[in-house]
Each structure stands twice: as C-alpha cells, then as structure tokens.
Amino acid sequence: MISITNLILVFLFGSLISYLLTKANKVLGSIFNFLLSFYALYYVWNIEVGHYEKLFNIFPNIENSLKVTYLGKFFAIISLIVISLVSFFIIEWIRKKPSRPAAFNAFILIMIAGVIGVFFSNDLLTLYVFWEIAVLGSFLIVPMGKEESKKAAVIYAVTSAIGSYMYLFATFSIYSKYGVLSFDKVSSYLLNEPSNLFKWFVILFIASAGIAKSGIFPLHTWLRITHGNAPDAFSAILSGQLVKMGSYVLAISLSVFPSTMLFNAFYHGVPLINYLLIWLGNISIIIGTFMAIRQNDMKQLIAYSSIANGGYILVGLGVMNSIGYAGGLFHVFNHAIAAAMIFLSFAAVVYRTGTTKIDEMGGLIWRMPWTFVTYLVGIISLAGIPPTSGFISKWMIFNALLTKGMFITLAITFIGSVGSFLYVFRPLAGVFLGQLKKKHYEVKEVSPIMLIPMLILVTLTVFIGIYPKPVLDLIASIERNIGIKPIEYSGTIIKTSLGQWNTLTVFTMFATGFIIALILHLIFPKGKKVELTDQYTGGDYLYNYDLYHYATGFYKFIERLYDKHPSFEKLYNMLASFFKSMGEIVNGIIYKVSPSGYVFWISIVILILFWVRW
Amino acid sequence: MTILKVAAVLLTGFFFGLTLEGISRKVMARIQRRYGPPWYQNFLDVFKALSKIGISHGWIFDFGILMALGGVIATLAFVPLGNLVAFPGLDNLFIIVYLFAVGALGMAMGMVGSGNPNASIGVARALTQMLGYEIPYMISVAAVMYYYKTASVSTLMLSQQDKWTLFKMPIGGIVAFISLLGMLGKKPFDTPIAPAEIASGPMVELSAKYMGLLMLMHTFSIFVEVGLFVDIFLGVSNYWTFLLKFTVVWIFATLISSVLPRFRIEQVVKFYWKVPLSLAFIQALFVLIGWVF
C-alpha cells in the first residue's frame, strides 16, 4: 500500500490527468474520477489506526505530519463513501451538466485531496493547509451551476474564510505561546494553562471554523445560497460531505481538546463553553427548520435542513457524555447518507425536468418511481423515523439531553424533529405526488448508472438502521480513544441509563405489521383503478388538471405566524452594502484618473513610513 | 410467547377499540339529544366498508395505506396494556412515538397520492397540528422520564406504586391530556378533518376497502395514544384495570370534544405553544428543583 502522502499526491496529479481525459471524453474522465475515489475509499477502509507520516516543516522545530486517528478514519470513511457514490452518479450526469466538465472533474479531485488531508492531519497547521485546498477545490466548482452561482461562490468563500482565519489566528496564538502545534501536545499544554480567557479564546476560535463550515448560526446563511445554486450532483457532496468537515473540527475543538476537563462544569457536568455552542446549535435548528418550511425551491429547502442537522450534530457533540457524543457522531453518518440520497434524487429530477421549483412539478412518481423511492427513504432517515438509521442518532441525542435535564434544548430538538416531517413532506407532495403536469408527460426515469448509487445509499441506511453495529463499533473505539465512556450495545440492542431498544425487533415488528396490512389488503375485494383526474371536486367542473395540484403555499397557514421574522441574511446584506458605500467614498477620495494623484498618495505613504520607522 | 402476546395486544385493540368507539358515538349522541347508533355500529361499518369494491388511485395510494396500517400495528405492539407487555424492556417511549410517525407518514403519502387538493390541505394541517401538540406532550413526558430515570413505558407504569404520576405532577398530566385531545383529533382540534371546510381532508378520496383499513388504523392509533397516557400517568394497572382507565379517559375526551367548536389551524399551533408548552416547562422546572408531590 502507498502512503497517505502519496495518495494525496495521486489525487493532485490525477486532477491534471482527469482534466485532459475529460477534455477528450467526458464519460472517460468521470470514470477515472470514480475509480480514483473508490480506491481512496478502499485505502481508507483498510488503513491502520496510529499510522504516522512526516510531511513538511513550515515553522522551525515543528514537524507537520499526518496521523490516522479513530476520529479521522470515521469521518474519512463516511466522506469517501459519499464522494465515491456521487462520482459514480456523475459518470452519467456529466453528459448534460455542468458548464465546464473538465474543470469540474479536476477540481473534484483537488477537493478530495484536501479532504483526505484534513481528516488525517496531526496538527493544527497541516489541517489548515488541507482545509484551504478542499475549500479551493469546492469553491471553484460552485459557479458552474446556475446563473447566480458566481455570487454564491463568493459568499461561500467569504464565510469559509471568516471561520478559517479565526482558526488560523488561534493556531498562531498557540504557536507563539507554547511553540507546539500537534493535537496531543496542544491539548496537554492547554490542560495546564492557568488563564481561562486564553482557553476560551482558543476553543471558540478553533470551533468557529467548524461553525462556518457546518452552517451553524450565525454563519449559516451561505448554505442556502451555495447549496441551492451549486451544480446539482455537487450539492450532494457539499451537504453530504464538505459540511461534515465542519463537524470534524467541532469534534476536535470539543473532544480532542477535552472541554469537560479544561473547564469547570456549569450545568449537569456540561461546561459553559459547551453550553454556549449547544445554544448556537439550538438556534440553528430553529432557523433551519422554520426557514425550510417556507422554501419553494427544493434544493434550498434541503440546504436549510442541513443547517438544522448541523445543529443536531453540534448539540450531540456538545453534551460530551457517552451517549450524546455517540449520537452526534452517528448523526454525522446519517445526515451524510440522507443528504446525499436526497440531493442525488433531486439531481435526477433536475436532470430530467430542468427545474428546482416545487410548484412547477408534480406527479413525477409515475415517471420516476426509483428516484421517488430514494427520496422517500432519504426523508424517512432525515426525519429520524425507524427502521432507517436516522432514528438511532436522534434517539441517542434525545436520551443524552434527557439524562442531563436540558429541557429547553430537548424541546428545540423536538421542534426540529417534528418540523422535519413538515418540510420533507413538501417536496414529496409537490414534486412526486399529485397530478403530472402536461409538460412532463414525456419524462423518463434516469438511467441505471444514476440509479445504482442512489439505491446503494438506500440499502446502506436501511441496513445500518437494522444492524447498526459497524458504525457503533467505530464510534465506541473513538470514544475509548478520546477518553469518554464508550457507548453500550450488544448485538442489535443499544443501551443507555434510561433504557434500551432493539433495532432488529423494531424492524421485525414493522415488517409484521406491514404483512398483516398486506394480507388484509389482499383478501378483500380489489379496488378499481381510476386516473388521478377522476376526483371528488364538490361539484366543480375541472378543465385544467395542471392547476389542480396543491403545491404553492403548502404551509401558508403556519408561515403566516412568522412572516416578519428577523433575518441575519438581511443584516449581512446591510453590512455588505455599508462596506460597499464606504469603499465608494474611499475610492472617490483616493482614486484619481491622473498619475499625479497617485504620486501624491505614494509620497504621503512614504512620508508616514519614514516617520513611523517601520 | 411473544407472538401470542402481540396477537393479544392487537386483538384487544381491534375488539375493545371498535366497541369503545361505538359507545362514544352513543355518548355523544346523548349529549346532543339524539338516540345514536348501537354500540356495535363500528364493527358493521368496518366490515361493510371492507367488503365493497372501491376505487384506487394507483400504487402509491395502496402502498400509503399499507404503510399507515402496518406502522400503527407495529407501534401498538410496543405499547404495554397494563401488565400485558409484548416486548418487556424494549418498550422505549421514543420508539413508540417515532414508530407512530411511520403510520402518519404513510397515511399522508397515500392520501396526497390520491391527487385531491382537499387531501393535501388536510395532510398539511395534520402535520402542522402535530408540530403543535407534540412539543408540549414530549416535554411533559420528558419531565416524567427524567424524574423516574427511565424511558421504558412499563417501568414508568410500575414506578407509580405509591402514587399516580397524575397526582405527583398534575400540571404535566393536564398538558399531556390537552395534547392527547390534539393527537386524537378531537374537537377543538379536529382541523385536519374539518368535514364542512375541506370535505374530510385526507379521507376525501377513500372508499370501500381503503376506508375500512384506515378505520382500523384509526382505532389502533387511538389505542396507542390513550394507552400511553394511561400507562404513564394513571398508576399501576393490570390488563383489566388498564381497560377500565382507558374507557374513562376516552369517554372523558369524548365528553369534552362534543361540546366544543373548532379552532383554526394557526390558532391550534399558537394555543399549544403558548399555554400547554409554558405549563410543560413549569412542570419540568418543578421536577428539576424537586417539587414533586
């Protein structure tokens, strides 16, 4: 087996090959991408924990290196599952989209190189370097989507930069204070740090990179714009994988630098700083849920739901006990898989219909049944309903909050969870059910190449929902490694202090219930099949069935309750326009058409420099 | 053994549930000074509906109904009926609540699959109403779970040896009962069905067998909802006292519902989030500081 460094180099040089291959033949380039990412998945799956590689030296006495930890391996496996399946999907999808296929394929490989580096970094600076590589790769892909995507890319880059510069600032502060950067050394220095203020600053600034990336309030606004406008298949990677890099940094800032040991307990053993982050998570859940209910654009709807799920992950990780931390990590897995499923099914819908507006579609189930099945299982998992895996993590998070007696957070997670039934149902009803529009009569199901990855994800989420042991094994080893009491489970039974449940029993019982219903359905007389145009209308004569489909303003009655909500997006827009007008003023004073103006300003600057003697 | 127990639970749900629905129709009729149908009317209704030939709107319509009934049957199997517990130790409350959502989702999907906008409006209202009642209910129940340090329903029931939870935590009990009215879709919370406005909402396109299966689903879901309330709040019971308590709660809910008008849907959510939710938080606070009677 090659070393991780070589793997990353393979991806970086592979991007060049991929570019040329895709120029020659789109499909060939995408197959190359898929093979490479699938190899990376195989590689990461088999890699030994504890594997160490020296990389480069940026600062004197600091060895920048890669090290495989349980946490990194867990995230890397999830990411590469998502990436390799989406790459398979792209093989067919790339025939139609995006605008620059060659560059698209090349940048994806650059991004993967960054992603692998991030999860295996052993110190703060290496993580930053690879983080920026991943951001660069993804940032350049975003503008290949719709018309307004260029703006979306800028917003993405700026928000990401806010987080990563804060992170970098914390990194340099640590370096100047202790002279070390690797995670274990930093954490041992932090444990002996007398100044509480410094600890707060370090943890919060490092966490802010994760906050920006996983779309936690107040840096959540980019998700709607970027996920909504990125190329359709890439949205699956954005929401299913890249956002999880944020969760990884949050996990590092909370558990690798053990927050419960660094700070005093504030409420039921949870330190104040965790509590603060949990509250940010809470606000994200509320914003994500209620804004998702309002959306008419299906991709933006799920983008908002990613904000809410990012909140869930943060709440779970923030509690920092055995069950809550496990719930947070399990939710990383679940949301990655569910978001990938949902965005891929949307990509398939857009591939065939060319629109993302919910009220412009309807009845697609009759033309694209398998895409519908993917979406259905995706939302069942996203809404956390058994027997899919989505329920397991939500159950863990609820349990953790309940044992800690955090009733307000518990109420908010319930709102998020019931609210998710509302928003996931909207595309289900609007896009897939109801009457088929006349313009979509000719729509066909997408080809098997696109269906296979979607159905693999379906199988995966149901399988883990019935038999969660593989994921729980990984999580338990992470917890053991970090020094949290590992989660208890035996076979398919998961235990907490509040009780236990058996995934297999639940599934068996569900299957039994379904079989009973099926038997009842079969023994009684068969119904006559009628068209969807044959309806009870209360006596009205219908002449246009396109208008009969109820999809516009689906939840108008509840949206009305918070129509005039305060918005951070508006605040950011105000800030942006403020800086823009400031810039115009400065421009008006300084920018002169004649060269003499420049000479004047340059001489002023030189004078100041002499005066201050820098 | 487990199979027998599951069968016993389901058969109880079927026979007792349908009987009780018939009785409550009689009770309501008497309040409205009518004579009312006989107690076995609901058996007649279900079997008559099941035996007719109706219409179907395609496979998703059929599948939705199967998922609804299947999901609710699965949920009911986990609910302890007094000392009749099909899965001892595995009757986790969160499981029951979330498995119940399978039924709701199946019904919603099938009914919207019928393509009638009245059905879609009804489903949208039902989901919104769920956002209303679920939060105060879960918080009041969470306070109980926090107090007894368990999430297993039968353990919660057995923990009430000295005194019923309803008397230990009266505010939580009231909140749970108000939420129960919403769950059951009883007036004033019958907005999703609202026959005069949206032609019975989700049920608008149902006929024959499909109607019959959904009537069964409705009976089973009543059993889940009221049964949980009885188990959690009304003390230790064996199979027979459970049924007795069940009857009392169900008739009480019917009495209240038969004299009240209907809320508008946004009023439902506003009401639930203002009054019962605040009360639920007060109850949770009481539990946290140890004020349990």
Side-chain angles (χ1 to χ4, degrees):
Chain A
M1 237 179 188
I2 56 174
S3 64
I4 305 176
T5 323
N6 286 346
L7 184 73
I8 292 169
L9 287 177
V10 165
F11 271 94
L12 288 177
F13 285 111
S15 70
L16 273 178
I17 300 170
S18 173
Y19 182 84
L20 297 174
L21 264 180
T22 317
K23 274 277 178 202
N25 183 335
K26 284 183 191 177
V27 176
L28 208 61
S30 310
I31 291 175
F32 175 76
N33 267 16
F34 164 70
L35 290 177
L36 217 54
S37 49
F38 191 74
Y39 172 71
L41 174 63
Y42 167 79
Y43 179 88
V44 167
W45 192 277
N46 289 319
I47 201 164
E48 270 173 52
V49 174
H51 177 88
Y52 180 89
E53 272 172 38
K54 194 175 163 309
L55 211 56
F56 42 71
N57 289 63
I58 295 179
F59 292 144
N61 336 324
I62 295 282
E63 202 169 76
N64 293 84
S65 54
L66 297 173
K67 190 179 174 189
V68 182
T69 60
Y70 285 104
L71 190 66
K73 191 177 166 181
F74 177 72
F75 274 85
I77 288 177
I78 294 174
S79 297
L80 287 167
I81 288 176
V82 170
I83 289 175
S84 54
L85 286 173
V86 175
S87 308
F88 195 75
F89 182 91
I90 285 172
I91 294 174
E92 167 78 24
W93 177 82
I94 203 151
R95 285 168 193 264
K96 239 181 174 177
K97 292 215 176 147
S99 48
R100 289 162 207 271
F104 179 85
N105 274 345
F107 291 142
I108 278 198
L109 290 190
I110 292 178
M111 185 206 78
I112 299 174
V115 165
I116 296 171
V118 164
F119 292 140
F120 294 134
S121 300
N122 190 32
D123 59 282
L124 288 160
L125 196 64
T126 319
L127 197 151
Y128 175 79
V129 171
F130 284 110
W131 178 278
E132 289 297 336
I133 291 176
V135 168
L136 181 73
S138 52
F139 157 70
L140 292 169
I141 293 174
V142 174
M144 297 175 193
K146 293 185 195 168
E147 287 293 308
E148 58 270 43
S149 304
K150 282 190 183 119
K151 197 180 159 202
V154 174
I155 291 174
Y156 171 44
V158 169
T159 319
S160 183
I162 293 174
S164 50
Y165 291 163
M166 281 167 89
Y167 172 94
L168 195 62
F169 188 55
T171 306
F172 287 150
S173 310
I174 289 172
Y175 178 69
S176 70
K177 190 153 184 174
Y178 305 136
V180 293
L181 280 177
S182 71
F183 290 128
D184 43 352
K185 277 185 192 154
V186 172
S187 103
S188 68
Y189 272 100
L190 276 179
L191 281 171
N192 299 320
E193 169 66 43
S195 155
N196 238 341
L197 194 69
F198 186 73
K199 286 194 275 187
W200 266 83
F201 150 74
V202 165
I203 301 288
L204 273 186
F205 269 49
I206 289 178
S208 66
I211 287 173
K213 197 78 197 166
S214 55
I216 302 290
F217 172 86
L219 296 175
H220 59 283
T221 50
W222 67 274
L223 266 105
R224 175 184 77 84
I225 304 159
T226 311
H227 289 207
N229 292 316
D232 306 315
F234 188 67
S235 293
I237 295 183
L238 260 180
S239 184
Q241 192 277 316
L242 275 170
V243 168
K244 303 296 170 287
M245 268 166 49
S247 310
Y248 178 69
V249 170
L250 284 172
I252 284 181
S253 63
L254 286 171
S255 59
V256 173
F257 305 140
S259 56
T260 43
M261 281 192 255
L262 287 173
F263 303 98
N264 294 330
F266 169 69
Y267 181 85
H268 281 262
V270 179
L272 189 58
I273 191 163
N274 288 32
Y275 213 68
L276 185 80
L277 289 173
I278 288 175
W279 264 100
L280 291 183
N282 284 347
I283 300 171
S284 312
I285 292 177
I286 296 268
I287 291 177
T289 306
F290 282 99
M291 294 310 290
I293 291 172
R294 290 174 65 91
Q295 298 307 310
N296 185 35
D297 183 312
M298 57 188 186
K299 283 176 71 185
Q300 295 189 3
L301 188 148
I302 299 299
Y304 269 120
S305 113
S306 300
I307 297 176
N309 281 289
Y312 266 102
I313 293 168
L314 182 52
V315 166
L317 295 179
V319 176
M320 274 294 281
N321 66 357
S322 114
I323 189 87
Y325 193 76
L329 288 183
F330 209 128
H331 205 74
V332 169
F333 170 81
N334 286 331
H335 183 249
I337 304 292
M341 270 155 99
I342 292 173
F343 271 116
L344 285 186
S345 65
F346 284 170
V349 166
V350 178
Y351 189 74
R352 287 299 192 214
T353 63
T355 175
T356 55
K357 294 274 176 289
I358 292 171
D359 57 5
E360 285 174 13
M361 287 176 268
L364 285 178
I365 179 176
W366 308 112
R367 294 289 179 269
M368 310 174 78
W370 291 108
T371 310
F372 168 77
V373 168
T374 311
Y375 180 72
L376 180 68
V377 179
I379 64 169
I380 289 178
S381 184
L382 191 72
I385 299 174
T388 54
S389 61
F391 177 66
I392 300 173
S393 57
K394 279 201 175 167
W395 182 78
M396 288 175 175
I397 292 171
F398 293 154
N399 266 297
L401 293 171
L402 191 57
T403 42
K404 295 272 179 195
M406 295 180 174
F407 286 102
I408 296 177
T409 309
L410 191 62
I412 289 168
T413 48
F414 281 134
I415 292 174
S417 157
V418 180
S420 67
F421 298 160
L422 267 79
Y423 63 68
V424 297
F425 198 72
R426 192 170 177 165
L428 183 78
V431 176
F432 290 104
L433 301 175
Q435 281 86 6
L436 191 65
K437 302 264 186 226
K438 281 205 186 68
K439 61 181 172 190
H440 294 148
Y441 275 4
E442 302 301 315
V443 166
K444 277 189 304 199
E445 179 62 280
V446 288
S447 71
I449 303 268
M450 287 165 100
L451 281 177
I452 287 168
M454 300 204 282
L455 295 177
I456 289 175
L457 286 167
V458 169
T459 323
L460 190 65
T461 186
V462 175
F463 174 74
I464 295 295
I466 300 166
Y467 186 72
K469 196 168 174 293
V471 179
L472 289 174
D473 280 344
L474 283 170
I475 290 175
S477 48
I478 292 171
E479 292 192 317
R480 220 169 282 132
N481 182 243
I482 282 169
I484 307 173
K485 190 169 147 279
I487 178 165
E488 274 181 70
Y489 60 94
S490 61
T492 52
I493 298 178
I494 308 174
K495 295 173 192 158
T496 67
S497 62
L498 287 173
Q500 53 180 359
W501 73 292
N502 189 340
T503 48
L504 191 63
T505 315
V506 170
F507 176 75
T508 318
M509 206 46 237
F510 179 68
T512 316
F514 195 82
I515 289 166
I516 295 175
L518 189 66
I519 291 170
L520 285 177
H521 183 78
L522 291 177
I523 56 175
F524 291 108
K526 199 164 177 281
K528 203 174 85 194
K529 169 93 171 64
V530 296
E531 289 301 309
L532 282 180
T533 45
D534 190 356
Q535 299 274 329
Y536 170 78
T537 58
D540 274 334
Y541 175 70
L542 293 180
Y543 49 89
N544 183 356
Y545 281 96
D546 279 7
L547 300 179
Y548 203 56
H549 180 46
Y550 177 67
T552 315
F554 203 75
Y555 293 116
K556 201 68 203 163
F557 34 82
I558 181 158
E559 286 169 30
R560 234 179 270 146
L561 293 179
Y562 59 96
D563 251 349
K564 295 190 187 66
H565 61 92
S567 162
F568 257 70
E569 229 167 289
K570 280 181 203 152
L571 181 74
Y572 291 147
N573 281 338
M574 269 162 61
L575 274 177
S577 59
F578 170 74
F579 281 119
K580 210 173 163 191
S581 47
M582 285 301 284
E584 271 163 20
I585 294 171
V586 173
N587 229 6
I589 298 169
I590 295 174
Y591 183 75
K592 292 281 179 287
V593 189
S594 64
S596 56
Y598 282 107
V599 173
F600 170 73
W601 283 111
I602 288 168
S603 41
I604 293 275
V605 169
I606 290 171
L607 272 178
I608 291 174
L609 285 177
F610 270 108
W611 182 48
V612 182
R613 287 171 191 276
W614 267 327
Chain B
M1 197 59 202
T2 313
I3 296 173
L4 283 180
K5 278 185 180 167
V6 170
V9 170
L10 294 182
L11 289 175
T12 312
F14 177 67
F15 285 109
F16 194 73
L18 281 179
T19 311
L20 213 56
E21 272 183 273
I23 293 173
S24 80
R25 279 172 82 171
K26 194 94 181 166
V27 169
M28 195 182 285
R30 285 307 163 88
I31 291 172
Q32 296 165 344
R33 302 211 170 179
R34 291 185 284 118
Y35 186 75
W39 64 268
Y40 52 85
Q41 184 62 45
N42 275 47
F43 286 97
L44 299 182
D45 287 355
V46 167
F47 283 111
K48 189 177 168 191
L50 283 174
S51 63
K52 297 249 171 187
I53 294 173
I55 56 157
S56 159
H57 281 291
W59 67 268
I60 192 65
F61 186 74
D62 294 20
F63 180 78
I65 286 169
L66 291 184
M67 189 167 148
L69 186 59
V72 173
I73 287 176
T75 320
L76 182 56
F78 284 92
V79 179
L81 309 185
N83 55 2
L84 175 61
V85 192
F87 300 103
L90 300 176
D91 50 353
N92 200 291
L93 186 79
F94 292 117
I95 300 286
I96 297 176
V97 171
Y98 273 80
L99 204 51
F100 200 47
V102 177
L105 185 72
M107 171 160 166
M109 191 172 71
M111 298 307 98
V112 173
S114 74
N116 194 313
N118 283 320
S120 308
I121 294 170
V123 167
R125 284 185 183 191
L127 289 169
T128 312
Q129 177 151 317
M130 196 174 182
L131 191 63
Y133 63 71
E134 197 81 7
I135 318 301
Y137 180 73
M138 289 310 290
I139 292 302
S140 75
V141 175
V144 178
M145 289 193 280
Y146 180 74
Y147 180 71
Y148 292 120
K149 302 271 176 271
T150 176
S152 151
V153 181
S154 47
T155 319
L156 282 177
M157 183 183 75
L158 292 174
S159 319
Q160 310 173 47
Q161 299 285 3
D162 51 338
K163 208 189 225 174
W164 291 7
T165 316
L166 184 64
F167 298 126
K168 274 188 190 166
M169 303 175 193
I171 308 175
I174 293 167
V175 170
F177 186 75
I178 300 173
S179 310
L180 181 68
L181 287 179
M183 265 181 231
L184 294 168
K186 288 272 180 196
K187 282 183 179 121
F189 309 113
D190 66 338
T191 22
I193 298 161
E197 292 164 37
I198 49 171
S200 294
M203 274 96 85
V204 59
E205 287 293 320
L206 286 173
S207 64
K209 174 171 72 177
Y210 305 96
M211 188 71 199
L213 290 176
L214 268 201
M215 280 165 85
L216 280 182
M217 180 218 161
H218 183 63
T219 311
F220 288 143
S221 24
I222 288 171
F223 231 83
V224 174
E225 289 151 352
V226 180
L228 280 182
F229 181 80
V230 171
D231 280 334
I232 297 172
F233 287 96
L234 300 184
V236 187
S237 21
N238 62 29
Y239 181 69
W240 302 107
T241 48
F242 172 84
L243 291 183
L244 186 70
K245 287 170 188 170
F246 187 97
T247 314
V248 172
V249 174
W250 172 240
I251 298 291
F252 188 53
T254 312
L255 290 177
I256 291 177
S257 109
S258 52
V259 294
L260 287 176
R262 181 187 307 138
F263 270 136
R264 280 208 317 271
I265 183 67
E266 62 260 43
Q267 287 172 326
V268 171
V269 179
K270 258 192 205 166
F271 168 75
Y272 270 120
W273 284 22
K274 258 185 205 161
V275 187
L277 188 59
S278 341
L279 287 177
F281 277 127
I282 291 173
Q283 180 64 67
L285 187 69
F286 280 8
V287 170
L288 277 177
I289 53 182
W291 288 2
V292 179
F293 305 110

